[in-house]
Amino acid sequence: MPPPPGDPPVLSHPPYTIRLAGAGDGPGIVETFNLVFAEGNPWFVPRTLPEWNWEFVENPAGRQAWIAVHEDGTVAAHFAGLPLRAVADGAPATLAHIVDSYTHPAHRSGLKRPGLFVRTALAYVDWFMWPDRNLVNFGFPVPAAWRIGAGQVGYVFVRTQNYLALPAARELPRPTAAAETLGAGDPLGPEVERLFRRCARGGDVMAARDAAFYEWRVRRHPRLAYRIGVVRDGGELRGLAVYRDGAYTDTPQGLLVDWLVPDADRDAGRALLGWARELAREGGQNQAGIVLADTDPWWLPLQELGLRARGTKYVLVHGDVGRPAAPSGERLRACWRYTLLDTDLA
Amino acid sequence: MSPAFGEPRRLPAIPDAVPGYEIRPAAPGDEAALLAFHEPTFGAPASTGSRPAVRWHWQYRGHPEGQAMTLARRLSDGAVHALVAATPHRVWVEGEEARFGLFTDCGQHPDAPAPGGVPLFLAAAAAFARDHAGRGKLAVLHGRPSPAVRDLGRFPEVPGHALDWEALRSASVLVLEGRRFARTLDALPPLAVVTEPSPGPEAAALFDRLKPEFGAATVRDEAWFRWRYETHPLHRHVLPRVRDGNGGLRALAAARTSDWPLPRTLLVLDWLCPAGDPEAGLGLLRRLVETAEARSCTSIAVCLPEWTGWFERFQDIGFTVRPTGLCPVVRSFHRPWSEDFLRRRWYTTLGDLDL
């Protein structure tokens, strides 16, 4: 049984306290984050407090970070997820992308059997990793993190992630619909959620989309610039996509980081694909890539339109700690639909 | 009882011995008990592709590299209640030759006990690993256990897997639909392709030329092709080849008709063609399309790793990429050949599985 909702426990392991992070913990978390990830990485760009606030405090789906704090106030370990509101079989659910797992270098031997990092992770597991809290706890771990995560967070395999790439030179079938780029001040309203409801099929597991999500995730992103493309039908939306120039799996390219188009509306899909290709050409990119599950209803139609499937360096996993009613890897492989916008990869 | 909030869970220890059972390598005389184990464990052969005796003999007695098999047999009546079996095969990996083992028959009888909550199968698997796995023995074990068998190493409310199996990849399949056959034929060069006689030493020479493109690959030589395709007890395969005019081969494929992944498919189980010789590969593919048409197949399918040049080239010709649901598992017993390395660099085809 999950612990009762309300205030989570505060665990005392002197000289450390392990607890759920609050908004006031931002400065200490950012300081340790920048120390850890600057190690051996000359290209590291330090994270700022406004960026942390955007990611962990302003997320409309909530805040999910457990920290171990030394008695001198240092944030010594951190284990977090980025929650996403979602639907699963038509019911509300939460998914979480596991991110930013680390221990302060001066505290890596802070506790023994289990160590400080594991104790911090276990608190996250015991508080959040229940199907009625986080239905899915996913990540794209590097091999070392996978090995640790398999033992502590129960990482099980979902798939080796492939993606689809549209060569910028490729000509596309001409759509009858027209896609347009939304201006920064163009309003997003309840028509977004209505579009999402037309896209999500009965058995899907899918992160929810509405105006609040795009306002936070796309328009208020503190570092990255995205463009939102839509196909309209009067006051309704036939489709919505999000694009930015970037890199994925070590390949510079245009990225269709979100794709919200009913699978029956191929014409709207063609229009948004053409829109993305034009942006890729303008940006000097060789291709536009889109990450989808290979069981997504658009996986095959997009290939029919000229996109090519390619491998990536990423393996998608989810944390399964043996909770009753938690989805299996097979189930998630079959019915979980996602895009890069559900992750912190783009 | 669940541990307190934030406290660790531990996978249970796997016992070396189980009262009332002997766990040991299979030996002459076990065959009848092993065959009797199959139907209650895996279901009727017709529905599961399980092992009638003829297939059993092919898989284990006829295999050029022999067998590795550990069983748990009930002392009171001799019934086999758990089996871990692998077919060893030679693998070229990182410039040297090693032996890997393909799990072929792994399972647990419905009546098998779980002393202390640990399934009997795990005790047999641990004994198998002690006897057969490791550097100099079977360096890597792999296969496609059923979800039920794979999950025997998982425990409620405990993260991790007792056997440390890790998924190798979610296999994709390249499919050319019949409606594209005619247009595809127009784009493919007509080359002389032979299917007779059986591949000889020139097959190994082709593999030797090709292997630098791979980090690892099962050694595909004359003996392997004969065992895997020509002596297969249940399926008739065709092995078209493009010759180089000097007694050697430029490209080779192995295929048979199948209802997987789509009905009436020409399933290409093996594909050996250098990335730098597209003409040979396209000529070979032309023969496969012609074969599919002649057999009234409505699609052609081939599984290749995404990092190969032919994965991209097949798409250029009109193949589309689809999920298969196949997720082979792997466990490495030699650190440099890690699961991650194998995922990225091991050239596998359907010919590497017991399909």
Side-chain angles (χ1 to χ4, degrees), chain A residues 119 123 126 143 146 150-151 154 156-157 159-160 162 294 299 303-304 308-310 320-323 330 333, chain B residues 5-7 9 150 154 157-160 167 170 172 179-180 306 311-312 315-316 320-321 323 327 340 343:
Chain A
R119 283 207 175 273
D126 279 353
W146 185 349
V156 298
F157 178 87
R159 64 166 53 84
T160 34
N162 289 339
D294 58 10
W299 181 258
Q303 292 181 70
E304 301 283 356
R308 293 283 181 265
R310 293 192 176 138
D320 181 350
V321 291
R323 308 291 195 211
E330 281 83 10
R333 207 158 34 247
Chain B
F5 185 95
E7 290 299 315
R9 293 85 167 138
R150 189 197 55 208
R154 307 195 66 218
E157 307 252 344
V158 182
S170 45
S172 301
R179 63 186 167 89
R180 294 176 186 258
E306 287 83 353
F311 185 81
E312 183 92 14
Q315 293 183 75
D316 293 340
T320 52
V321 177
C327 287
D340 181 61
R343 193 172 293 120

